[in-house]
Amino acid sequence: MTTTHYIIIGFSMLILLYIISMYNKLSTKKNQIQNAISSLDALFIQRADLIPNLIVTVKQYVTFEKETLEKITELRRPAAPTKNENPYVQQEEGSSTLKQIMIQVEDYPELKSNQQFNQLQQAFKECEEQIAAGRRFLSASITDYNDSIVVFPSNVIAGVFGFKKYEWQYATELQRTAPNANDLFNN
């Protein structure tokens, strides 16, 4: 073999390695798009599961707090005063109701529904921020991939191996609509 043969073989190997490298880069970029879509789907599922469950929890907690406050108010209503008794508490009723309240308070030491609402608001905010970040990542991934398959010389390799321009993914109307907390609370 002559030096020319070695040069041709070496040059052919470089071209082959370049083609393999470009193919792998395009494949990686295409997979990154699928990863971004999957991540967004996970966030949509999280929002669909999380928000209604949080609202149900808050509604139950508000109901519990309201019932507890009503029981306390009921205990404070004036009763027919007798000698050495508190006129605002009937002895038998007050004792049993107070026991029930104390048992419930042990289960729920802080009766502050505003904390529940603050947590719900924070969950909404975090979920929407993650979805927005996921959309930006998807958009950047699609742009990077599409740019790679239209720029020379990677467009030649993309054409040879059948890489197609990725179409932008658009959310359905249901996905675009954030859950309405008022509707969920009224259900």
Side-chain angles (χ1 to χ4, degrees):
M1 275 194 165
T2 67
T3 307
T4 308
H5 285 107
Y6 286 121
I7 292 174
I8 293 173
I9 291 172
F11 186 70
S12 299
M13 292 298 290
L14 285 175
I15 291 175
L16 181 63
L17 288 175
Y18 179 77
I19 291 171
I20 291 170
S21 173
M22 291 305 299
Y23 177 85
N24 288 341
K25 284 181 183 179
L26 290 171
S27 295
T28 301
K29 289 178 182 190
K30 188 173 182 180
N31 288 339
Q32 186 175 3
I33 292 171
Q34 294 303 316
N35 179 34
I37 291 170
S38 177
S39 296
L40 267 176
D41 283 345
L43 291 170
F44 288 133
I45 291 168
Q46 176 187 5
R47 178 174 68 182
D49 290 345
L50 175 74
I51 301 303
N53 287 331
L54 285 172
I55 289 177
V56 167
T57 302
V58 170
K59 283 171 69 174
Q60 290 173 345
Y61 192 82
V62 168
T63 301
F64 163 76
E65 188 174 65
K66 179 182 173 194
E67 290 171 357
T68 303
L69 291 175
E70 286 173 356
K71 287 178 185 178
I72 291 170
T73 303
E74 188 67 26
L75 284 174
R76 290 183 177 167
R77 73 175 153 79
T82 58
K83 192 175 184 179
N84 297 328
E85 284 188 24
N86 184 340
Y88 289 95
V89 178
Q90 295 175 354
Q91 189 63 33
E92 312 80 38
E93 181 185 359
S95 176
S96 68
T97 306
L98 190 57
K99 286 179 185 174
Q100 290 173 355
I101 290 173
M102 292 309 291
I103 289 170
Q104 289 177 339
V105 169
E106 286 175 8
D107 291 337
Y108 304 94
E110 292 185 23
L111 295 176
K112 294 182 180 178
S113 63
N114 67 335
Q115 286 182 336
Q116 298 292 325
F117 286 111
N118 288 338
Q119 289 173 353
L120 177 62
Q121 183 181 16
Q122 187 63 29
F124 267 125
K125 181 181 173 187
E126 287 177 14
C127 192
E128 292 302 319
E129 285 175 353
Q130 289 176 354
I131 288 172
R135 288 178 176 152
R136 286 190 301 271
F137 177 68
L138 175 61
S139 181
S141 297
I142 290 173
T143 300
D144 187 38
Y145 170 78
N146 284 346
D147 287 349
S148 294
I149 64 169
V150 297
V151 175
F152 184 80
S154 60
N155 64 339
V156 175
I157 295 164
V160 169
F161 289 104
F163 286 93
K164 302 286 185 212
K165 190 171 182 180
Y166 201 90
E167 296 300 320
W168 295 97
Q169 296 291 314
Y170 296 100
T172 65
E173 283 301 315
L174 184 61
Q175 289 172 326
R176 289 181 184 164
T177 307
N180 184 333
N182 288 332
D183 292 343
L184 294 170
F185 270 105
N186 293 326
N187 286 340

